[in-house]
Amino acid sequence: MKRIIRRRNTAGRKACFLLLLSLGLTLSSLQFSSQLTAAGIPVGTIKIAVHELNIKTDPVPSSLKDFVQLNMDKLSKEATFKSWKGAESQYYPLGPGTHGWLVNVMKDEQRIGYLIITAKNEGGYELSEYGAGNEGLPYSLSELRQLLVQEGLISSTYSGTLSLTPLYSPILPLWEVTISGKRLYINAAEPEILPWNYNKAESVLKMSATAVNLKFIAGDSKRTPQAIYRTAGTSDPFENLLWITAPKLPTISDNDFSAVLKTKENLVFQSAGRNDIVGGPLMISGYQLWRAESVTGETGPKNTNKLYAVVGRDGKRFVPLSLLQQYGTLHEVIESQ
């Protein structure tokens, strides 16, 4: 709850920033379980368990389960993801047209992480995003409920049914929520209602679907995640807005990014004129490199390292660096004099 209040206290700063820069996702219906709410309980203490939702979905391909388990096993060897060892996975298709899945990592009936998996047109799957933690992750139902209460859209004792659809546009996790016939689109990473209508959402998703394969490195080589590097700086791009005055950095390769970030400490990703459709700006406060394994007879792009940048609140999200540079630009954080 404190995080929600803190974000709302910074709304003025964000509004000014958005004005200055002109900052200009379907699973079948999910239901809030009325059994999870109790009249009179303060909204900050309400917990909504994803695994107790009534979800109708198509069977998950065994190849997808194998791909997810392989990546969970690899990640569980790193300290941040060690709780993933022996964890279970729950699958929620994202769509329409994005050919992706939200996978919640569950242990002892608690959500301890997530992955977003995308099917590639040429076959196989790609790890599009991931993160670990008990809170502060995209697609948090408790944070969504808090936002809806704060905006006066539901009461703190609400126990009815909402039409809730998780969507994904590259870099931007989304909720589509229908309340009393009114359709809303909500940023599912930093909960806030977006000024979108149905046509706007459709255009964003259509653009994402046509570009979905552009962000992937060709081939499907075996890669092993290395230790995570984190900077000592903030994860909030609004704490120091001087990066606005910094020129965009040239494109940085996955192999060179570690040296650049260690030199500059923090970087900011933004997409001028369309931050609303990518969830920007985002502070880059670390990275995890997935190192390609040498395979006999494998050459070219199939034997390529891949780097995931640490972005978002408290550095909980891991997003491909190639995706950030495809949809926006990187800027150095300039220290105030």
Side-chain angles (χ1 to χ4, degrees), residues 117-307:
I117 308 298
T118 305
K120 298 189 291 187
N121 287 342
E122 68 272 21
Y125 304 98
E126 190 76 17
L127 180 57
S128 297
E129 184 173 326
Y130 59 95
N134 296 108
E135 59 180 15
L137 299 180
Y139 300 109
S140 166
L141 288 171
S142 58
E143 289 191 356
L144 173 62
R145 185 185 182 97
Q146 291 173 25
L147 175 68
L148 296 178
V149 170
Q150 289 175 343
E151 296 295 334
L153 296 169
I154 62 174
S155 68
S156 61
T157 58
Y158 181 83
S159 60
T161 299
L162 298 176
S163 175
L164 178 61
T165 301
L167 305 168
Y168 188 68
S169 174
I171 312 174
L172 179 60
L174 291 167
W175 288 119
E176 180 186 83
V177 182
T178 302
I179 304 177
S180 300
K182 181 179 181 181
R183 184 185 283 116
L184 302 173
Y185 293 93
I186 295 173
N187 183 327
E190 292 288 344
E192 63 177 346
I193 298 175
L194 300 171
W196 291 10
N197 56 24
Y198 177 79
N199 290 335
K200 170 72 172 183
E202 284 292 290
S203 66
V204 171
L205 291 173
K206 183 177 180 180
M207 177 191 69
S208 301
T210 56
V212 69
N213 268 7
L214 297 180
K215 64 179 180 288
F216 299 140
I217 297 174
D220 188 20
S221 70
K222 297 179 180 179
R223 300 186 183 93
T224 302
Q226 307 301 298
I228 296 170
Y229 172 81
R230 295 183 184 275
T231 69
T234 178
S235 63
D236 184 358
F238 298 100
E239 284 192 11
N240 178 358
L241 294 177
L242 291 180
W243 61 264
I244 297 173
T245 64
K248 68 178 181 180
L249 296 174
T251 300
I252 306 170
S253 72
D254 286 22
N255 291 330
D256 295 335
F257 185 80
S258 59
V260 174
L261 189 65
K262 289 176 181 178
T263 299
K264 300 184 180 299
E265 283 299 315
N266 277 32
L267 299 174
V268 172
F269 159 81
Q270 72 114 2
S271 184
R274 58 176 190 172
N275 271 315
D276 63 323
I277 69 173
V278 295
L282 294 168
M283 184 71 75
I284 300 177
S285 56
Y287 66 85
Q288 183 172 34
L289 181 68
W290 288 59
R291 191 177 300 282
E293 301 174 9
S294 297
V295 179
T296 303
E298 190 174 71
T299 60
K302 288 188 176 182
N303 191 16
T304 307
N305 296 334
K306 184 169 184 177
L307 187 138

Side-chain angles (χ1 to χ4, degrees), residues 8-54:
R8 292 179 66 83
N9 287 340
T10 62
R13 287 190 297 155
K14 292 187 178 183
C16 292
F17 170 72
L18 298 177
L19 180 62
L20 287 173
L21 289 187
S22 299
L23 303 178
L25 307 140
T26 297
L27 181 106
S28 55
S29 177
L30 306 183
Q31 298 178 338
F32 283 113
S33 171
S34 59
Q35 298 175 346
L36 299 176
T37 60
I41 298 178
V43 65
T45 65
I46 291 176
K47 302 297 182 184
I48 304 174
V50 174
H51 65 283
E52 293 188 21
L53 293 174
N54 179 19

